[in-house]
Amino acid sequence: MLRPIVAVLVLAGTAISVRAQEVNDYPTSARAEYVFGCMKANGESRQAIEQCSCSIDVVASLVPYDRYVTAETVLSLSQVRGDLGSPFRTSEQAANALNDLRRAQAEAEVRCF
């Protein structure tokens, strides 16, 4: 009788572990960079640490890390002037990635600030 209960607990533990990995697919360095940038924009206080940490958690829950990297790359390269930056300012794929990030950041703003 004990074996079915153990099997259920093992399966539940595996499911929780998989979900945790899915939610935490952002490397620590990316999370730290986001929080540091957020704090520069919102003040360097204990409250800002809490809000900015919350913000990256919300973003990470809504945007997969590879999509986040794409959006950050688009943001960076779209600032390059002239023909070199043009594809990052005009492509539909770049705009979609950026819109995903902006929507996630707007949701984080509502939830955390």
Side-chain angles (χ1 to χ4, degrees):
M1 186 70 171
L2 192 55
R3 285 187 183 183
I5 293 172
V6 171
V8 168
L9 290 175
V10 168
L11 288 174
T14 303
I16 290 169
S17 175
V18 169
R19 272 188 261 132
Q21 289 173 352
E22 290 172 3
V23 171
N24 195 18
D25 67 340
Y26 282 48
T28 302
S29 60
R31 287 177 181 267
E33 186 177 314
Y34 183 97
V35 170
F36 288 140
C38 176
M39 288 179 64
K40 282 292 184 189
N42 294 292
E44 296 177 1
S45 66
R46 180 70 188 159
Q47 181 179 4
I49 291 172
E50 295 295 326
Q51 292 171 322
C52 294
S53 297
C54 172
S55 181
I56 188 58
D57 290 343
V58 171
V59 170
S61 74
L62 298 172
V63 178
Y65 181 66
D66 61 334
R67 190 72 168 171
Y68 174 81
V69 169
T70 300
E72 286 290 312
T73 302
V74 167
L75 270 174
S76 178
L77 294 177
S78 67
Q79 295 175 12
V80 174
R81 295 179 187 233
D83 292 339
L84 292 176
S86 181
F88 299 97
R89 290 187 295 272
T90 59
S91 93
E92 185 177 336
Q93 183 181 12
N96 289 338
L98 199 51
N99 287 337
D100 289 347
L101 178 59
R102 286 188 175 142
R103 277 192 291 275
Q105 288 176 322
E107 180 64 25
E109 181 81 19
V110 170
R111 290 191 203 176
C112 303
F113 288 88

